[in-house]
Structures are given as C-alpha cells and as structure tokens.
Amino acid sequence: TIPEGYSLKNIIKILIKNEKWDSGKIEQALKEIQFPYPTPEGNFEGYFYPETYLIPANYTEYQVVETILKEFLKKFPPEQYPDKKEFYEKLIMASIIEREAVVKEEKPLIASVFYNRIKKGMTLSSDATVNYLYDYSKKRIYYKDLEIDSPYNTYKYKGLPPGPIASPDKDSMNAAY
C-alpha cells in the first residue's frame, strides 16, 4: 500500500521493507522505463499513485515500477493532458496540497490560497515543501528550519518548487486544476 502524500524515498522504503526488492534495482528500473510525462533528471517524485497494489512476489523491480506507473497513467491518461509542462506544474501543486490538507474538503481551499499567493507575487510559504527537505521527519517546522537554502524552500523562493514533494491522489490533482 502506498499512502497518499508519501515521498518517493518513503515509497521505496516500503517496497524494500520485506527484502523482496532492491532499492538499487528500483532506481535502475526508473532509468530504463518509458514514461510520457516529464521526469526532470530522472525524478519520478509524484508519479507513484497512492493505492493498494496486489503485486506477485516473483515480480522484478522493473515490473513493480511498471505496475505502479501504469496505475498513475490510468488515473491521468496522457492523451487527456496534452500540455505536459502544465500537467507537471499541476502535479507539483497537487503534491503540496496533499501534504498540507488534513481532510479532502479543504483541498480546493488550500489550492486557492496558494494560487492567490502566486498571483500576488508572494511566496507559497508551505511548511510541507520545507519538511520535504527533512524527509518529513519534522513534526513541526521552526524558524531555524526555514533558513535552509533550497529551491524547495517556498518561504525563501517564489513560485513552485522544481518538482513534486509527494504522491498526490486524484482529489489533490482536481484541486490543483
């Protein structure tokens, strides 16, 4: 099971937990797989759709990755999203919404707040993007944590971070659109 809002790093930890699969082979599979959406510098963050998967024990790492990415493509068929750059930006926003929202109903409101901040030239100021830099290990973000210099620090840098910070569900994607 891949929970909503998990980062790719955390998802890989789930996959290798039972020692059936190897993280190095998963990373190799990601380098080899063909995928219709942008993956800047091989970054598949955000594309492992949160779902419960029934994966045969004899599957290779490549087959596991392929199965999970096919589920994403079922949810978001490439032919329905011709502007891949726009789709990637919405995926980034959806990943932030996913990490910020506590309940499904607040996702559209969170999206509205972030889009308004962007429109006004403000920073997004999302704790979730900063916590991504700490692998979501922080229960709280303190002022000292906001000093980290990274394009994912949306307190320092305006606009969206360079990539998604987690795997969003369909509701978060709908809110981002």
Side-chain angles (χ1 to χ4, degrees):
T1 299
I2 296 174
E4 295 87 351
Y6 266 44
S7 69
L8 185 56
K9 189 175 185 179
N10 290 328
I11 293 167
I12 289 173
K13 283 180 188 174
I14 290 170
L15 293 174
I16 65 171
K17 184 178 175 185
N18 297 329
E19 298 178 8
K20 286 182 185 169
W21 297 296
D22 176 75
S23 64
K25 289 181 181 176
I26 291 170
E27 289 170 20
Q28 184 60 41
L30 289 171
K31 290 177 185 169
E32 296 170 4
I33 203 146
Q34 296 295 310
F35 197 68
Y37 288 112
T39 55
E41 299 177 26
N43 182 7
F44 278 83
E45 189 73 73
Y47 292 121
F48 278 46
Y49 193 78
E51 185 67 78
T52 298
Y53 295 88
L54 298 173
I55 299 175
N58 65 340
Y59 263 31
T60 66
E61 286 82 353
Y62 187 92
Q63 290 170 310
V64 172
V65 167
E66 185 178 50
T67 300
I68 295 169
L69 292 177
K70 278 184 178 176
E71 184 63 29
F72 183 90
L73 295 175
K74 279 186 214 167
K75 303 286 187 205
F76 308 104
E79 59 277 2
Q80 289 184 15
Y81 302 94
D83 186 339
K84 301 301 186 254
K85 183 180 184 289
E86 178 192 33
F87 180 85
Y88 193 65
E89 289 172 357
K90 299 297 184 186
L91 181 67
I92 294 169
M93 179 60 82
S95 72
I96 298 168
I97 294 165
E98 188 67 55
R99 289 297 307 190
E100 290 283 351
V102 176
V103 292
K104 172 180 147 176
E105 292 76 25
E106 60 187 23
K107 290 179 180 185
L109 179 62
I110 292 168
S112 174
V113 168
F114 285 142
Y115 283 128
N116 284 335
R117 288 179 184 174
I118 289 172
K119 234 183 272 181
K120 292 179 179 181
M122 299 170 64
T123 60
L124 288 182
S125 301
S126 167
D127 285 2
T129 62
V130 175
N131 208 354
Y132 174 71
L133 298 168
Y134 295 100
D135 199 26
Y136 301 119
S137 64
K138 303 265 184 190
K139 299 284 183 227
R140 269 182 98 148
I141 299 295
Y142 295 98
Y143 286 117
K144 66 180 179 171
D145 301 323
L146 302 179
E147 294 171 12
I148 192 167
D149 189 23
S150 166
Y152 284 91
N153 184 346
T154 57
Y155 281 87
K156 278 191 173 199
Y157 295 97
K158 292 180 181 180
L160 293 171
I165 62 166
S167 290
D169 66 8
K170 190 93 168 148
D171 293 324
S172 294
M173 281 298 284
N174 289 340
Y177 268 93

